[in-house]
Amino acid sequence: LKEDNAGDGNDGVRRRDFLDIAAVSFGVVGVGAVAFPLVNQMAPPADVMALASIEVDLTNIAEGQAIKASWRKQPVFIRNLTQAEIDEANAVDVSGLRDKESLAERTKEGKANWLVTMGVCTHLGCVPTGVVTGENKGDYNGYFCPCHGSHYDTAGRIRKGPAPTNLVVPEFEFLDDSTIRIG
Ligand code: FES
């Protein structure tokens, strides 16, 4: 900094400018040094980013069958409902349900046979079983959670037991007649 030889007071201004610039520079460096590790910590790992959405080929899921896919490290049930199962779901009076949703609201238009739900019980997060014979069979031909006995119907709607809401339908779309993208 120049000396204020002229005695006009500018030297004081220049000094303050320098101090302000120095403070701002230091502040930026300081914030940068603190923020970087936080940002790094918050960024999802690369493998999770790669699974942000998945595509599933439905070709080999026969009527009446279901598969369990994995999306964002959680199970997803993809089920090809039979006409009888669709009829059973549609025959239910939605107004009497705990979580009032019709099958049409839970499936895509013209594709009511494709039920896609998270395979996570809405009570405390166990993985329900599909329709199986034997002691784990649910009362409503949908899914049954063995942890505390929640029964879901053929549309994945809660019908009995402690679960508060229906099995969650994740965001998904049909890419063509036999391929869906979840996420
Ligand atoms: Fe499914 Fe409790 S976690 S009934």
Side-chain angles (χ1 to χ4, degrees):
L1 293 172
K2 290 179 184 171
E3 289 297 318
D4 181 17
N5 293 330
D8 59 3
N10 283 342
D11 178 52
V13 173
R14 287 198 199 97
R15 281 182 193 277
R16 277 202 298 276
D17 286 349
F18 176 78
L19 288 174
D20 286 350
I21 291 165
V24 168
S25 299
F26 181 78
V28 169
V29 170
V31 168
V34 172
F36 186 71
L38 284 178
V39 168
N40 244 4
Q41 213 172 15
M42 288 187 292
D47 63 332
V48 172
M49 287 304 287
L51 295 174
S53 67
I54 57 169
E55 291 182 16
V56 182
D57 180 6
L58 308 177
T59 311
N60 296 320
I61 310 173
E63 197 177 303
Q65 288 189 334
I67 63 162
K68 185 164 73 175
S70 178
W71 175 57
R72 294 181 181 170
K73 300 189 174 176
Q74 293 198 307
V76 181
F77 298 149
I78 302 164
R79 182 164 166 172
N80 188 357
L81 297 173
T82 64
Q83 189 57 51
E85 289 168 334
I86 293 171
D87 293 345
E88 189 177 331
N90 286 335
V92 173
D93 176 7
V94 173
S95 68
L97 295 178
R98 189 178 303 171
D99 187 4
K100 306 176 192 334
E101 281 185 315
S102 65
L103 178 63
E105 288 173 304
R106 294 173 56 73
T107 53
K108 301 298 182 193
E109 194 174 349
K111 308 266 189 198
N113 59 314
W114 290 111
L115 180 70
V116 180
T117 62
M118 298 306 297
V120 180
C121 181
T122 60
H123 179 222
L124 292 174
C126 288
V127 178
T129 59
V131 176
V132 290
T133 53
E135 62 187 39
N136 278 344
K137 187 181 186 310
D139 288 350
Y140 294 90
N141 295 323
Y143 294 98
F144 173 73
C145 183
C147 288
H148 314 96
S150 285
H151 299 246
Y152 298 89
D153 67 14
T154 60
R157 299 173 298 196
I158 182 64
R159 300 296 295 277
K160 191 167 112 181
T165 54
N166 302 333
L167 292 180
V168 171
V169 175
E171 195 178 307
F172 77 100
E173 62 177 334
F174 277 86
L175 300 180
D176 58 43
D177 268 356
S178 58
T179 314
I180 57 170
R181 177 165 56 212
I182 302 170

